[in-house]
Each structure stands twice: as structure tokens, then as C-alpha cells.
Amino acid sequence: MTERRTALVTGANRGIGLEVCRQLAAKGHHVILTARSSAKAKAAAATLHGDGDVSPAVLDVTDARSIQLLARELASRGVHVDIVVNNAGILVGESRGVLETTDDDLRRTFETNVFGAIAVGRAFVPGMIDRRYGRVVNVSSEAGQLSSMGTYAPAYSMSKSALNAFTRQLAAATRGKGILVNSACPGWVRTDMGGASAPRSVEEGADTIVWLATLPARGPTGGFFSDRRGIEW
Ligand code: NAP
């Protein structure tokens, strides 16, 4: 096995995030499985009993105090976060066109999918810089690809483009410091968000995310990946 690391995954009580936790724990890493409530985090972590070292924790990515509390608590226990998977995401107002999308849908979507990921990065990347090691995976979507963007889910799609821009900014800001920052598209996956008719399992959806979260030192940074291959922005 590669060196044991500590990974923090947001929105990990179900869906792709939960599977990312399972796969990272199975690789021998310490996983901090975060969810919006303690009950959700504990219940999800209990389902991974036997898969490895998984600690439940509370984290609402839209709540600055929640992020600060967790960062302080981990620091006080001497837990260093080496890997962040910004997985938490929402898809709302999917069927409304860009001109009909409400301010509320736009704001809620950006709060979670973009500002949440940036705030989590702000809390944990400085420690990675100090320790000269870090992996950040922003869970994006093909819906955010500018090269092929159409009319699908405007708030969500635009939020994922902005998340990809955060990937580029953070990768550039941390280049040469032992930190690799990338965006991942899991494909269309059977989860509450993806629905029952999606073609992919959570195992398949989590694969590229886990691969990026555990890249070797010479791995890529500032890229957008699907099925472990670079894709267009
Ligand atoms: P999901 O089943 O709907 O799970 C979303 C997770 O995000 C839940 O754990 C949810 O927690 C959490 N969450 C929402 N708002 C949060 C907040 N403010 N703070 C912390 N956690 C929050 O979705 P999924 O399909 O697993 O999606 C995971 C990621 O993959 C998302 O970023 C999504 O955009 C992306 N993605 C999914 C697909 C797909 O086909 N499924 C395709 C492309 C990209 P609660 O249970 O508390 O609501």
C-alpha cells in the first residue's frame, strides 16, 4: 500500500460520497466521513464497519461555523487532513430554462456546489501547503463542460463550470507545493441525484475520484477527468 493518509469527504452520508469513503478506507486510509448531521454521519459510517478506519463528523459546507468547528476539532486532536474530496452537491430547478431559473435556485446551488467547496479548501489546504502534501478532488460534472454546454440544468451546470474554475485557480496557486488539485466527472450514476435509470453504479462513479485522491507525487494537477482520462473543460 501507499502511505496511509487522512481523507475528508463532504456530503458522504449517501451516494457517490459514501462509496468514495468506502474505497478510500479499503485502501487503508483514515477517512473522515462528513454529513450535515451527526446522526447521518454516524449511521453512514456504521454501514462501512469492516471496510476500514472511518470516523464520522458533522460538516455543512454552506455553514462557515460548521467548517471552522470541524477544522479546529481535528487540529486540536492532531489530525492532519491530507486529502479533501469536495463531493457535496445539489441539483435544483433542473427543468427550468436559464431565464426562468430563480435567484433562489442559483444562490442555493452556488452556495453548496461552489462556495462550499472553496470554503472547505480554505480551511484545509493551508495545512497541506505547510506539510507539502495534499490532494483535492472537486466532484464536478460533464454538465459543467463549457465546450459542450447546452440548456440542461442552468444553475447546476453553471455551478460546476465555476467549480472547475476553482480547480484551475487552486491548482495554479499550489503548483510545486506537493499538492494536486483536479476535477472529476463521475458519469451518470444511480444515486438520489442521478436517479434509478442512470447506467453507472456508485462503484464506477467513485473510481476516478478515488484515483485522483490517491495520485502519486508526479500525478497531474489542474485537470478535469472522467474514467481516469483528461476531458475538455
Ligand atoms: P446525492 O445522492 O444527492 O448526494 C449528495 C450529498 O451531498 C448528500 O450526502 C447530501 O447530504 C450532501 N449535501 C448536500 N448539501 C450539502 C451541504 N450543504 N453540506 C454538506 N453536504 C451536503 O448525490 P450524488 O449523486 O452522490 O452526487 C455526489 C456528487 O457527484 C455531487 O457533487 C454531484 O453533483 C456529482 N455528480 C453526480 C452525478 C450523478 O449522476 N449522480 C453526475 C455528475 C456529478 P444530505 O443527505 O444531508 O442531503
Side-chain angles (χ1 to χ4, degrees), residues 10-17 35-36 40 59-62 86-90 112 139-141 156 160 185-194:
T10 68
N13 53 297
R14 58 187 164 97
I16 296 167
R36 285 197 265 198
K40 282 183 186 178
L59 183 62
D60 180 336
V61 302
T62 63
N86 279 313
N87 167 79
I90 60 168
T112 304
V139 182
S140 185
S141 168
Y156 179 79
K160 294 298 188 181
C185 171
W188 185 19
V189 180
R190 287 186 298 280
T191 61
D192 290 357
M193 183 187 289

Side-chain angles (χ1 to χ4, degrees), residues 1-5 24-30:
M1 191 195 92
T2 50
E3 200 174 330
R4 186 176 191 269
R5 300 289 181 183
L24 287 171
K27 283 179 180 290
H29 300 292
H30 171 215

Side-chain angles (χ1 to χ4, degrees), residues 7 93 103 168 181:
D103 284 351
R168 296 289 296 172
V181 185

Side-chain angles (χ1 to χ4, degrees), residues 8 59 64-79 81 123-124:
L8 183 150
L59 183 62
R65 199 175 137 68
S66 161
I67 298 172
Q68 202 180 52
L69 271 176
L70 180 58
R72 279 205 196 131
E73 193 216 314
L74 293 173
S76 74
R77 290 198 277 122
V79 177
V81 174
F124 295 105

Side-chain angles (χ1 to χ4, degrees), residues 85-125:
V85 178
N86 279 313
N87 167 79
I90 60 168
L91 169 61
V92 295
E94 189 182 358
S95 56
R96 274 193 276 274
V98 67
L99 298 179
E100 292 75 43
T101 297
T102 63
D103 284 351
D104 184 55
D105 281 352
L106 279 168
R107 289 209 171 91
R108 280 200 297 144
T109 304
F110 272 70
E111 285 288 347
T112 304
N113 299 5
V114 186
F115 304 148
I118 296 171
V120 170
R122 205 182 282 132
F124 295 105
V125 174

